[in-house]
Amino acid sequence: MQKDTRPALAEKSSPHPGTEGLWTFVFIDMAIFLLIFFTFMSERLRHFEVYSASQLHLNELFGLANTVILLTSSWMVVEAVQAARKQLAKKVSAYLMGAFLLGALFSINKLIEYTLKFDAGITPITNPFFSFYFFITIVHFMHVIAGMIFIFYFKNNSAACVTSDKYVTGLENVGLFWHYVDVLWIFIFPLLYLVGRK
Amino acid sequence: MDNETKRLAQLAVAWCGPVFVIGYLIFWAILGHNIPPPNFVGMTAEQLVSEYYGKYQSQISIGMIGCCVIGLLYLPWSCLLASMLRDKDGSLGVFSFMELTGGTLTAWLLAFCPAMWAACAIYATSVDPNLIKFMHSLVWYIYDCTFMITTIQCVGLGVYTVLNKEQKLFPAWAGWCSIAVGIIFVPLVLIPFVSEGPFTVAGSWNFFIVFGTWLFMFFSPYSYFMLKALMKPTQSGQLAAAH
């Protein structure tokens, strides 16, 4: 196979990918989630028995599966960004489709988990632990849905726009957002499912 | 009206914001004994009357009536803010109207609900406690569960700030903070249904985080930038002239 000798697009003078606006959003969103996590941990320390007993109702296999799904999906977005910088439209489309489908798998997994909870009579008003569980995971889920929308949009426009710097910068922003969603889950999974589990 | 007079008038209106916050802290939070408010879902009607309304009757009455006056200072502040959210051609767009109407309705709630709580306090010892608890609960549902009024204000303001890259009054981070605050309100929907934990009316999230982030992540930054814009004679002269 011949080596691709085309210069990569978006050879940046900026030291980091993505735009300042997206980084600002990520920073503030992260601050809000930190606030949620600290409040959760504070309440957990105050009502340890209730939180510990309730945690046992969560199936860590769902959480583990979602972690693997999101990590794989993040890798696919990384590959898509690399391909976009080399103007390889078909590769961009394929990787983004893979990332999107994995996002859909995460969503199905999450909905199944919620359904099982409701069938067991567990709702956001069952006790404070489950109020937090539903609050944290639903807010994260909304981030996943938003990320999937962005990924789908860039997948559909890969052929027409892959030669433009604006497309590559936009895709870098999507990648940054998607990695952030992934990192969030890496914190949420142990916090809700694993910490202190006996 | 000349530009300098306009600027001074706008500056006075901008100061309505901080005066509202200080006044509301005194009347609603301190005199009204709302730090935090009683967790009415977890209390019986008799407890609510004996431990809250009956115990602090005169303070709550005065505090709530004070809120009826001070609460509406939020209205001119919101109007001024809306007038500063102009597009490049000087016109007011949809986000400005979202901020204006959201702020107006929020101001109404900030005055209307305390009027009802004042009635609860004044009549606490002369009507059935169950009626007092019913009124108290109903007013809290109105006060907190209609949070979308303020969410629309925050999101409209935030989206304008973030998307309108030509405006120099408000930095993008303030816009993102405003949007975040609007979303932080969402767990308020749990108030009618939970009797313990962080999502009760007095809970760590639904009281301290919600009100705290509103004050420090939404109101304070925007109030600061509004005052900063209006206090500089040259910049604000141009600002006033643009209006």
Side-chain angles (χ1 to χ4, degrees):
Chain A
M1 188 191 294
Q2 279 188 323
K3 189 178 171 184
D4 190 338
T5 57
R6 288 173 296 182
L9 272 177
E11 294 265 335
K12 294 198 164 290
S13 54
S14 167
H16 53 71
T19 56
E20 190 184 324
L22 213 293
W23 283 102
T24 306
F25 161 77
V26 166
F27 180 77
I28 288 168
D29 202 59
M30 197 183 307
I32 301 300
F33 268 97
L34 276 175
L35 200 55
I36 297 172
F37 296 156
F38 279 130
T39 309
F40 173 81
M41 289 306 293
S42 164
E43 290 290 324
R44 187 172 182 274
L45 284 171
R46 285 168 55 192
H47 305 284
F48 186 75
E49 302 294 333
V50 171
Y51 278 62
S52 292
S54 302
Q55 187 187 42
L56 297 175
H57 289 274
L58 299 183
N59 187 338
E60 64 269 39
L61 292 177
F62 276 107
L64 184 62
N66 280 340
T67 306
V68 171
I69 288 167
L70 283 183
L71 281 171
T72 310
S73 180
S74 261
W75 168 75
M76 289 200 171
V77 171
V78 168
E79 292 296 320
V81 171
Q82 299 295 338
R85 287 176 178 159
K86 294 174 184 170
Q87 305 170 50
L88 302 171
K90 284 186 179 171
K91 267 196 172 179
V92 173
S93 180
Y95 278 121
L96 288 181
M97 189 63 185
F100 179 83
L101 288 174
L102 285 168
L105 189 58
F106 176 96
S107 305
I108 292 167
N109 202 20
K110 206 79 216 127
L111 290 171
I112 292 172
E113 199 182 351
Y114 287 154
T115 305
L116 290 172
K117 292 285 167 301
F118 294 142
D119 284 347
I122 294 170
T123 68
I125 63 173
T126 296
N127 66 33
F129 173 83
F130 286 110
S131 297
F132 264 118
Y133 164 77
F134 281 103
F135 176 44
I136 291 172
T137 58
I138 287 172
V139 171
H140 177 262
F141 192 13
M142 285 164 54
H143 283 68
V144 170
I145 300 294
M148 284 172 63
I149 292 170
F150 298 141
I151 287 172
F152 193 73
Y153 173 82
F154 275 83
K155 182 254 171 210
N156 277 354
N157 288 285
S158 58
C161 305
V162 77
T163 51
S164 77
D165 271 351
K166 195 177 172 186
Y167 178 90
V168 175
T169 303
L171 187 58
E172 284 176 354
N173 278 339
V174 172
L176 171 61
F177 180 78
W178 197 244
H179 299 324
Y180 166 64
V181 168
D182 190 12
V183 165
L184 273 180
W185 182 256
I186 288 169
F187 278 91
I188 290 170
F189 171 48
L191 186 73
L192 290 176
Y193 292 76
L194 300 180
V195 166
R197 194 179 190 104
K198 292 171 186 169
Chain B
M1 197 188 300
D2 62 80
N3 287 343
E4 183 61 11
T5 305
K6 202 177 230 178
R7 182 185 75 85
L8 291 171
Q10 288 172 338
L11 191 58
V13 172
W15 277 106
C16 284
V19 170
F20 152 72
V21 167
I22 293 166
Y24 217 74
L25 277 170
I26 294 170
F27 286 113
W28 187 81
I30 297 171
L31 285 175
H33 290 269
N34 279 315
I35 319 175
N39 178 14
F40 60 89
V41 177
M43 297 167 88
T44 64
E46 289 74 20
Q47 280 175 315
L48 183 65
V49 171
S50 64
E51 293 172 23
Y52 183 66
Y53 281 114
K55 194 173 176 184
Y56 308 112
Q57 188 173 27
S58 53
Q59 290 177 46
I60 294 172
S61 306
I62 294 167
M64 293 301 136
I65 295 298
C67 290
C68 296
V69 176
I70 285 291
L72 280 163
L73 287 181
Y74 192 76
L75 176 60
W77 182 84
S78 296
C79 290
L80 174 64
L81 183 52
S83 76
M84 296 169 99
L85 307 181
R86 292 185 183 267
D87 291 336
K88 201 175 178 183
D89 60 0
S91 65
L92 297 172
V94 64
F95 299 118
S96 174
F97 290 129
M98 282 169 67
E99 195 282 328
L100 178 63
T101 50
T104 302
L105 289 170
T106 300
W108 168 244
L109 281 183
L110 289 168
F112 163 74
C113 292
M116 308 274 274
W117 285 318
C120 286
I122 291 165
Y123 288 95
T125 52
S126 56
V127 301
D128 184 349
N130 288 309
L131 184 59
I132 296 295
K133 185 178 176 183
F134 168 71
M135 263 271 274
H136 180 89
S137 307
L138 171 65
V139 178
W140 266 109
Y141 298 163
I142 295 169
Y143 198 69
D144 266 359
C145 297
T146 58
F147 64 87
M148 276 296 284
I149 292 172
T150 313
T151 295
I152 286 169
Q153 178 188 21
C154 290
V155 169
L157 176 61
V159 172
Y160 169 89
T161 304
V162 169
L163 292 184
N164 196 331
K165 299 195 192 305
E166 285 125 353
Q167 63 87 20
K168 301 287 178 218
L169 290 177
F170 308 111
W173 65 261
W176 287 118
C177 283
S178 183
I179 296 168
V181 168
I183 296 169
I184 281 170
F185 292 157
V186 170
L188 290 170
V189 298
L190 295 174
I191 279 177
F193 309 108
V194 296
S195 58
E196 57 174 347
F199 300 108
T200 63
V201 71
S204 54
W205 187 271
N206 273 349
F207 181 76
F208 292 100
I209 299 289
V210 160
F211 284 87
T213 53
W214 177 90
L215 178 61
F216 293 109
M217 282 179 63
F218 162 67
F219 181 84
S220 295
Y222 275 94
S223 206
Y224 168 77
F225 290 115
M226 285 162 73
L227 287 166
K228 185 181 172 188
L230 290 167
M231 274 178 167
K232 289 182 185 176
T234 308
Q235 190 175 351
S236 57
Q238 290 167 350
L239 181 74
H243 293 181

